[in-house]
Amino acid sequence: MNKIKLMSHLVAGYPTDELSLTAARALVKGGAHILEIQLPFSDPSADGPVIQDACTKVLERKYRTQDGLSFIEKLHKEFPDTPIYLMSYGSLIYTPGVEAFCKKASEAGVKGMIIPDLPFDHDEGLTVACKANGMENIPVAAPTMSDERLAKLANAGFKYIYAALRAGITGENTTIDDATIKFLEKVGAGGSKIYGGFGISNGEQSAALASSVEAVVAGSVFVRIISENQNDAKALSEKVEAKAKEITHS
């Protein structure tokens, strides 16, 4: 069986920097191809309760954007061959200035930016700033988009597009059906490589998606495992690695 590429999602610093690092190591060991690291945010619009709760707990420790970038830098030094994407929300990168933020992110080792609340055609200069700093802006396509808008995004020349497999928030279970595959075909119609996520938690789902995407994206499932095993680093590591192996079929 061919190995399925996995983009795994972690909240930087959750529940501690050390345990977050333990989880990242387990993900790489389990076959994760890309590490998507979320900077904790106080009012996330796309995240389900599991990730929202993780963000809240990290922010309660007075965790700053710079702490998240330092965490990414540490990961990049340990895993220089594993691409790291930064996921956050517009206000976090707009406040210090998009260009300044992208420069800092690139210096930390970030290869791509996923900012779901910045539309691809009104992105406050994110795509240009990413290119200037050797990164990719990875816009998000949603099933609620009109066919016209979806076609515009698909043909806008992005190397990668993140396809949210259903409307709503992350973490709820997602059924992969004919409508899902048709949506992915529309997103990829312009030649962009597609990352498909939202509610991916098992090998059955990733197998159903495998032929339609560049990589499957899984997040809440890992954050849940981390949350449930935060008092036992060994169990946390083993369970995260096992779940990554299940999703990648490795």
Side-chain angles (χ1 to χ4, degrees):
M1 182 180 289
N2 290 334
K3 189 177 171 190
I4 297 163
K5 285 183 181 177
L6 165 66
M7 185 203 295
S8 56
H9 181 107
L10 284 180
V11 175
Y14 180 72
T16 65
D17 272 30
E18 193 48 51
L19 285 172
S20 203
L21 200 54
T22 298
R25 287 171 179 148
L27 285 164
V28 173
K29 198 174 173 190
H33 180 72
I34 300 161
L35 295 173
E36 180 192 8
I37 308 299
Q38 176 168 353
L39 297 183
F41 189 65
S42 57
D43 189 26
S45 56
D47 299 316
V50 174
I51 291 177
Q52 280 194 32
D53 185 58
C55 285
T56 300
K57 290 205 164 54
V58 177
L59 290 170
E60 282 169 357
R61 289 172 26 217
K62 310 291 184 209
Y63 205 80
R64 313 280 301 189
T65 296
Q66 187 52 53
D67 297 320
L69 291 173
S70 298
F71 175 73
I72 287 171
E73 190 172 5
K74 193 180 286 188
L75 273 185
H76 177 59
K77 281 179 179 164
E78 188 165 337
F79 304 109
D81 298 326
T82 302
I84 297 174
Y85 293 165
L86 184 154
M87 183 262 165
S88 190
Y89 290 90
S91 65
L92 263 192
I93 68 164
Y94 185 75
T95 304
V98 174
E99 173 62 39
F101 186 94
C102 284
K103 187 172 186 294
K104 273 191 170 183
S106 176
E107 287 168 354
V110 173
K111 292 294 178 216
M113 301 273 286
I114 301 169
I115 314 294
D117 59 344
L118 281 186
F120 72 96
D121 47 357
H122 293 90
D123 68 3
E124 305 293 347
L126 180 61
T127 300
V128 171
C130 280
K131 279 185 181 159
N133 289 281
M135 301 186 297
E136 298 290 338
N137 177 26
I138 303 166
V140 177
T144 50
M145 282 180 166
S146 67
D147 282 351
E148 184 186 9
R149 186 158 177 75
L150 205 51
K152 189 179 174 189
L153 169 56
N155 292 285
F158 290 98
K159 186 174 181 180
Y160 304 107
I161 298 174
Y162 184 131
L165 299 176
R166 57 169 169 70
I169 53 174
T170 62
E172 296 169 14
N173 197 48
T174 297
T175 303
I176 312 301
D177 54 20
D178 287 345
T180 312
I181 303 304
K182 284 192 178 109
F183 167 64
L184 290 169
E185 285 170 359
K186 286 178 187 174
V187 179
S192 302
K193 293 179 179 179
I194 307 305
Y195 299 128
F198 259 53
I200 301 302
S201 61
N202 59 57
E204 189 182 341
Q205 290 169 306
S206 64
L209 277 177
S211 61
S212 301
V213 297
E214 169 72 8
V216 297
V217 187
S220 293
V221 62
F222 292 118
V223 178
R224 195 175 288 114
I225 291 169
I226 292 163
S227 186
E228 289 168 356
N229 295 278
Q230 58 186 291
N231 297 318
D232 186 344
K234 186 170 182 288
L236 184 155
S237 179
E238 287 171 354
K239 288 178 181 180
V240 166
E241 182 185 343
K243 180 55 76 172
K245 283 182 172 173
E246 178 197 334
I247 290 172
T248 59
H249 294 254
S250 59

